[in-house]
Amino acid sequence: QVQVVESGGGLVQAGGSLRLSCIVSGLTFDDHVMGWFRLAPGKEREGISCINTSGQSTYYADSVKGRFTISRDNAKNTLFLQMGSLKPEDTAMYFCAAAVKNCGWLLQGLDFGDWGQGTQVTVSS
């Protein structure tokens, strides 16, 4: 059974930074594509970032490109999302998308894999 635990969210002022982490168990971490999606009140889930198994290929939604950086540590079964230049519109619950079929599907909102309880990010103006 896949278990996903996200952490690192919080309250931050606009322009600030946060680093989210996600620990995944119950699967062979480095065999799987991973990513992040978010859910804001009144909006649909949005796939925002994805990384291939080796970590050498990364993908971003236009809404976060240039501000967020995804990375992974396969030795520690951990996924990261470094978030910078945060905006109030980034306020959402952030979820790790574990074992998505491919990055294109995640970014199109077609596959969110397995996820945990999420971590709340609130950006004040």
Side-chain angles (χ1 to χ4, degrees), residues 33-112:
V33 173
M34 298 286 175
W36 292 91
F37 68 94
R38 65 187 180 185
L39 179 61
K43 296 187 178 181
E44 295 185 352
R45 287 180 294 181
E46 179 189 14
I48 58 171
S49 187
C50 191
I51 188 167
N52 74 341
T53 55
S54 69
Q56 292 188 338
S57 296
T58 58
Y59 306 87
Y60 301 92
D62 288 343
S63 57
V64 306
K65 195 174 296 182
R67 301 187 297 120
F68 292 9
T69 302
I70 189 171
S71 61
R72 63 192 294 165
D73 184 340
N74 285 346
K76 296 182 179 180
N77 285 16
T78 304
L79 181 72
F80 302 100
L81 186 68
Q82 180 68 47
M83 310 165 65
S85 302
L86 283 162
K87 306 174 182 180
E89 50 264 44
D90 294 318
T91 295
M93 187 73 80
Y94 284 72
F95 299 85
C96 176
V100 296
K101 297 295 188 295
N102 63 67
C103 285
W105 286 14
L106 171 61
L107 295 180
Q108 293 178 62
L110 300 176
D111 178 14
F112 297 101

